Amino acid sequence: MSTTALALVAAAATDVGRVRRGNEDAYLVAPPVYAIADGMGGHRGGAEAAGLAMQTLASRAPDLVSADGEALVEALVDANRAILLAADEDDALRGMATTCTAALVRGRVACIAHVGDSRAYLLRGGRLAQLTDDHSVVAQLVRQGQLSPEAAAVHPGRSVVYRALGTEPDVQVDTREVVLDAGDRLLLCSDGLSNMLADGEIAAVLREVAETGLAVEALVARANEAGGADNITAVLVDVQGETQREAVP
Ligand code: CA
C-alpha cells in the first residue's frame, strides 16, 4: 500500500514600496503554515501588531502539523489576544491592529483563515480565483450591490477595514477549505499588491513566471512599477506534483 502527498514549494517577498517610510507588513513561511499580516496603527504599532500575529502563528506551527482548520482559527484568536494585551501595556502601541490571512496545508487540503483585507488567491489552470472576501467597508458595499467593482478599485476609503486582529476582544475569523491539485499556485498577499495590480495582471505574472521565488519577486516588482503606494508582500505556495512514498506497515 502506498500513499501520495503533494510536494510544496514556497517563497515570499516583501518590500516597503515607493511611498511609505516603513514596512508594516509581515509574513510567515513555516510549513504547514503560511501567512501574511498587514499592520496598521502608525508609529511602530502597525509593524508590532503584524509581527505579533506572525510570531503567534509561528509558535503554533509545530502543533498545527496534526491539526485542522479549527486549530488555525484558534491561533488567530490567540494572536488577537496577544495584540490587545501588548497594546494595553504600552501607550505607544494603543490602537494597533493587523490583517491576517493564513493557510494551513495538510495533505491535499488547504485551510484558509482570514481577517481583514489581505487576500488569498488560487491560480488553477491559468485562471485566478480570489478565495477570501475583503473585510473592508468598500468591498462590503460591492457585495451589497451598492458600489461597482470599478468604483471600489479607486475609492479613497478602500483600505478602511471593519474587521482586524487587535480591535475587539472577540474576533470573527472567516474560514474555507480548498482541495489542492498538482500545478496549483496559492498566493497570499497584502493590499499593497492587490491594490496596485488588477487580478488579470497578477494572473499574468503567475502564468509567466514558473519559478516560485522569481514569481514573488516579479509580483513585487510589478506593484512597484505601478506606483508602489503601499507596502507590498506576497507569499506563494506552489503545488509541484505528487511524491510517491511507501506507507509504513
Ligand atoms: Ca497595506
Side-chain angles (χ1 to χ4, degrees), residues 20 24-25 38-39 99 117-118 159 190-193 195 230-232:
R20 300 288 173 90
E24 300 190 323
D25 285 358
D38 176 353
T99 73
D117 67 350
S118 299
S159 61
S190 61
D191 67 343
L193 182 75
N195 278 339
D230 196 358
N231 306 146
I232 309 153

Side-chain angles (χ1 to χ4, degrees), residues 3 25 35 41 44 46 49 55 93 100 133 150 162 170 194 219 227 234 243 249:
T3 56
D25 285 358
R44 59 192 175 92
Q55 284 164 31
L93 301 178
C100 184
D133 288 330
E150 295 73 25
Y162 59 83
D170 290 313
S194 55
L219 286 169
T243 52

Side-chain angles (χ1 to χ4, degrees), residues 2-24:
S2 70
T3 56
T4 56
L6 296 170
L8 302 177
V9 176
T14 188
D15 191 80
V16 67
R18 293 195 163 164
V19 175
R20 300 288 173 90
R21 284 163 55 198
N23 192 343
E24 300 190 323

Side-chain angles (χ1 to χ4, degrees), residues 12 24 53 74 90 99 117 136 173 207 234:
E24 300 190 323
E74 281 304 315
D90 186 343
T99 73
D117 67 350
S136 68
V173 179
R207 282 193 299 264

Side-chain angles (χ1 to χ4, degrees), residues 149-174:
E150 295 73 25
V154 295
H155 197 287
R158 65 183 182 275
S159 61
V160 177
V161 296
Y162 59 83
R163 231 198 271 172
L165 300 184
T167 55
E168 303 280 344
D170 290 313
V171 63
Q172 193 187 338
V173 179
D174 284 0

